Amino acid sequence: DAGVTQSPTHLIKTRGQQVTLRCSPISGHKSVSWYQQVLGQGPQFIFQYYEKEERGRGNFPDRFSARQFPNYSSELNVNALLLGDSALYLCASSSAARSYNEQFFGPGTRLTVL
Amino acid sequence: AQRVTQPEKLLSVFKGAPVELKCNYSYSGSPELFWYVQYSRQRLQLLLRHISRESIKGFTADLNKGETSFHLKKPFAQEEDSAMYYCALSTNSGAGSYQLTFGKGTKLSVIP
């Protein structure tokens, strides 16, 4: 298993555009979480999905949305991009939705907004 | 709201010296605490979690609820320990719902 995979690796967009980031969890993992990591900061929680339902949402505006598909892969969408959305977006998967479970992280998608 | 504080942005120690990376948390419920590590050009990965009470790569961390701390310690630093370390707090907000709150991270540099 290649672990959690994310695409694309890098992305450059301009202000006002929309972007979709993709994540494939480890086979058998049903929980997917998204994090935003701004340079010099720790990852910040955006969403958590389990069994295709949104189970948690961080303090992010409605411009951020996500979904999980029947195969447990996930997409993160960001509308009306702002310069401040420039960050590394991390996806993490877990075998179950329990707080003590290890989360396995992907390599991230580096988004640059110009 | 939950919060994780890592007071040191950068910690430099000599090889063979003891290491302590500090982590304090703020949370009204029962905390689940983790240390994640990111080595150069690698992805973020779990180092250890308090519920397991284990030693990984010589590192240990003890949850002190009185001081709301979860410091990471190793008696003798090695060069391969150089990495970015994040303390994280997992909180449960309902059935199947949880989130990780990370500190800002401490960059550990072990000097040969």
Side-chain angles (χ1 to χ4, degrees):
Chain A
D1 197 336
V4 177
T5 59
Q6 293 185 244
S7 63
T9 306
H10 296 91
L11 206 51
I12 299 175
K13 293 284 187 178
T14 56
R15 281 179 298 174
Q17 284 189 312
Q18 174 264 341
V19 68
T20 298
L21 311 180
R22 296 176 176 82
C23 170
S24 292
I26 290 173
S27 178
H29 284 192
K30 298 180 179 180
S31 179
V32 169
S33 297
W34 286 94
Y35 296 84
Q36 180 195 64
Q37 186 172 22
V38 175
L39 199 61
Q41 303 288 320
Q44 187 174 359
F45 173 75
I46 309 175
F47 285 110
Q48 185 232 334
Y49 276 78
Y50 179 66
E51 287 285 14
K52 301 172 285 275
E53 290 185 7
E54 181 183 309
R55 299 298 183 106
R57 184 186 182 110
N59 189 23
F60 279 82
D62 291 343
R63 299 185 296 106
F64 288 76
S65 63
R67 55 181 174 167
Q68 188 176 33
F69 298 98
N71 66 352
Y72 302 110
S73 67
S74 178
E75 285 183 353
L76 175 70
N77 295 286
V78 186
N79 293 322
L81 285 167
L82 303 174
L83 295 179
D85 295 331
S86 294
L88 181 68
Y89 288 85
L90 296 169
C91 173
S93 75
S94 182
S95 59
R98 293 188 176 83
S99 58
Y100 51 80
N101 273 110
E102 176 179 359
Q103 292 198 41
F104 294 83
F105 284 83
T109 293
R110 173 74 61 188
L111 172 65
T112 302
V113 182
L114 302 176
Chain B
Q2 59 271 18
R3 187 171 65 245
V4 175
T5 303
Q6 292 180 252
E8 302 134 333
K9 198 169 184 177
L10 174 65
L11 182 65
S12 296
V13 301
F14 285 100
K15 179 182 173 181
V19 175
E20 184 179 41
L21 301 174
K22 291 185 167 53
C23 171
N24 287 89
Y25 67 91
S26 172
Y27 180 53
S28 57
S30 183
E32 302 276 359
L33 284 149
F34 303 76
W35 278 98
Y36 279 81
V37 62
Q38 187 165 27
Y39 301 103
S40 180
R41 288 185 287 277
Q42 293 187 28
R43 59 185 68 187
L44 198 58
Q45 59 187 284
L46 178 68
L47 179 62
L48 56 79
R49 48 189 153 182
H50 93 271
I51 195 171
S52 302
R53 301 183 66 81
E54 58 195 346
S55 173
I56 304 292
K57 299 183 179 181
F59 284 99
T60 59
D62 290 319
L63 176 60
N64 186 324
K65 291 186 177 181
E67 296 184 357
T68 59
S69 68
F70 188 58
H71 303 328
L72 184 67
K73 299 177 183 178
K74 184 170 183 177
F76 308 104
Q78 299 174 328
E79 289 180 64
E80 54 265 34
D81 296 329
S82 294
M84 195 73 183
Y85 291 80
Y86 293 97
C87 183
L89 167 69
S90 183
T91 55
N92 193 318
S93 51
S97 174
Y98 63 93
Q99 68 180 68
L100 277 179
T101 300
F102 286 85
K104 292 185 178 182
T106 298
K107 184 174 182 179
L108 175 64
S109 177
V110 180
I111 305 163

